[in-house]
Every structure is written in C-alpha cells, then in structure tokens.
Amino acid sequence: IFARGDVGVTGELKVRYRYPVVVDRPATVHGWVKRVSAPLYITEAELVQDGQVKVTATAKFMAQPQLVEKG
C-alpha cells in the first residue's frame, strides 16, 4: 500500500516457505493489493528465485492517514 502512496499498519501477516531460499543468489519479490475495503487492504506477495516461487505471503493492512507527517 505504501507504493500506492498510502500509509498503514500491519494487522496480520502470513508467510509460507515453499522451498529453501539460497543466500547470495538473486531473487525477486512481487507484491500487489488483492482487495480494498477501506480502511482495510488485503495484499499478496511472492518471492521468486531461479524461476521458482519459493515464498508466498498474504497480509492485512489498516490505512492510517493520520501517520503522514504534515510539513
């Protein structure tokens, strides 16, 4: 949600390690917002290494606009 310009706090995070992640080898993480029901964001992510999804995650974030510093 931060990439969308929103601020929030993590309410829940579930991580599933499907395969070992090799240290010192490049990996890519993709994340996306699956659903928004303001102020709740449901997100998903995956870590891909060597063409294989090695880790998946789901999370719930609560938007917290009052956390934005006003200058």
Side-chain angles (χ1 to χ4, degrees), residues 37-60:
S37 181
L40 180 68
Y41 286 76
I42 308 296
T43 63
E44 294 183 349
E46 62 185 18
L47 182 145
V48 179
Q49 188 175 60
D50 299 327
Q52 183 179 46
V53 176
K54 298 213 172 179
V55 182
T56 59
T58 59
K60 294 179 183 177

Side-chain angles (χ1 to χ4, degrees), residues 15-26:
V15 179
R16 180 166 181 217
Y17 297 93
R18 298 173 177 267
Y19 300 97
V21 177
V22 181
V23 178
D24 293 331
R25 185 173 291 163

